[in-house]
Amino acid sequence: MTQDELKAMVGRAALDHVVPGEIVGVGTGSTVNKFIDALGLVKDRIAGAVSSSEASTARLKDLGIAVFDCNAVGEIAVYIDGADEIDGRGHMVKGGGAALTREKIVAAQSRRFVCIADESKLVEKLGAFPLPVEVIPMAAQRIARQFAALGGEATLRLKDGAPLVTDNGQHILDVRGLSIDDPLAFESGVNQWPGVVTVGVFAHQKAQVCLLGTASGVRTLTFE
Ligand code: 5RP
C-alpha cells in the first residue's frame, strides 16, 4: 500500500470518531485532506466544522461544509488532525504544514484529539523530525540562539525564496538536533521564551487516540 493509500484509509476511519449532529474540529495537512474528502460524503451528519488553517477552510467550504470561528462555538466534541511524529504516550510534533498555532488552539477547545497518521509517524522519542516553532519575526534570531544553547540548529522556513508567512502573519523556525526527553516540560519551557508564538510539541494537547495506517489495516492506539 502506498503512503497516500494509508492516509486515505485513516482519513476514512476517522469518520467513526465524528460525533453526529456536532461540530468537528479539523486539522491541516495531506492526511487531513483525505479526512475532509471523506467528511464531504457525510456532511449532512454534522453541524459543521472549525478549521485550523485557511487551506483546510477553503477545502471544507468547497465541499459545502459550514466553517465556524472558534469564538462562535463552545467546546468541540472531537478534533481530527495529523502529526509529523507521535510517541507511545500520544505526545506529538506538529507544524510541518505551518498551521501549528491554530491547530493547538482548536485542539485546546476540543474534548478529544484523534490523530490520523501513517505508521512512519510513530516514534520511540520525539525530535528526529525538525521541530517547527512559530515565532514573531523580530525575535527569530534570538530564539535561534536559545535553541543553539540546547544543541539545536534552527533555520528559518522559506517559501519561494522568502520567509514563509503563516496564516497568523508570523515566521517558522525548524529546529534540528534536539533531544526531547520530557515533552511536557520542553513544551512549557519553550512557550515561555519571548517571541515564541507556539512550539510544535503537542504534549499538553496530546492525542487521546491515534489511528495509524499500516499495511495490514488501521491500528488504533489509545492514550487516555
Ligand atoms: C500541519 C501539521 C500536519 O498535521 C502534519 O505536518 C502532518 O501532515 P501530513 O498529514 O501532510 O503528513 O501539523 O501543520
Side-chain angles (χ1 to χ4, degrees), residues 128-210:
F129 187 90
L131 178 69
V133 185
E134 185 164 358
V135 299
I136 304 281
M138 70 177 285
Q141 288 312 312
R142 184 182 42 72
I143 291 167
R145 289 194 290 277
Q146 285 188 264
F147 278 118
L150 297 181
E153 189 190 338
T155 51
L156 189 62
R157 194 181 299 183
L158 302 178
K159 188 181 176 193
D160 302 327
L164 178 143
V165 178
T166 68
D167 285 351
N168 311 306
Q170 311 302 339
H171 289 173
I172 298 280
L173 292 175
D174 292 302
V175 191
R176 290 169 177 77
L178 292 170
S179 179
I180 305 174
D181 296 312
D182 182 343
L184 277 168
F186 184 91
E187 182 182 9
S188 298
V190 175
N191 270 337
Q192 298 304 314
W193 297 358
V196 168
V197 179
T198 305
V199 58
V201 171
F202 282 52
H204 292 280
Q205 267 73 49
K206 70 171 193 149
Q208 276 70 51
V209 176
C210 179

Side-chain angles (χ1 to χ4, degrees), residues 25-28 52 76-81 103 106-107 110 112-114:
V26 177
T28 300
S52 64
I76 299 163
V78 65
Y79 178 61
I80 314 276
D81 198 358
E103 290 172 343
V106 184
S110 303
R112 278 164 79 69
F113 189 136
V114 175

Side-chain angles (χ1 to χ4, degrees), residues 4 22 35 43 45 56 59 78 102 107 117 123 143 145 148 185 192:
D4 200 57
E22 296 256 0
F35 168 64
K43 63 183 176 194
R45 279 194 224 155
S56 289
R59 209 172 173 102
V78 65
R102 294 189 188 192
V123 297
I143 291 167
R145 289 194 290 277
Q192 298 304 314

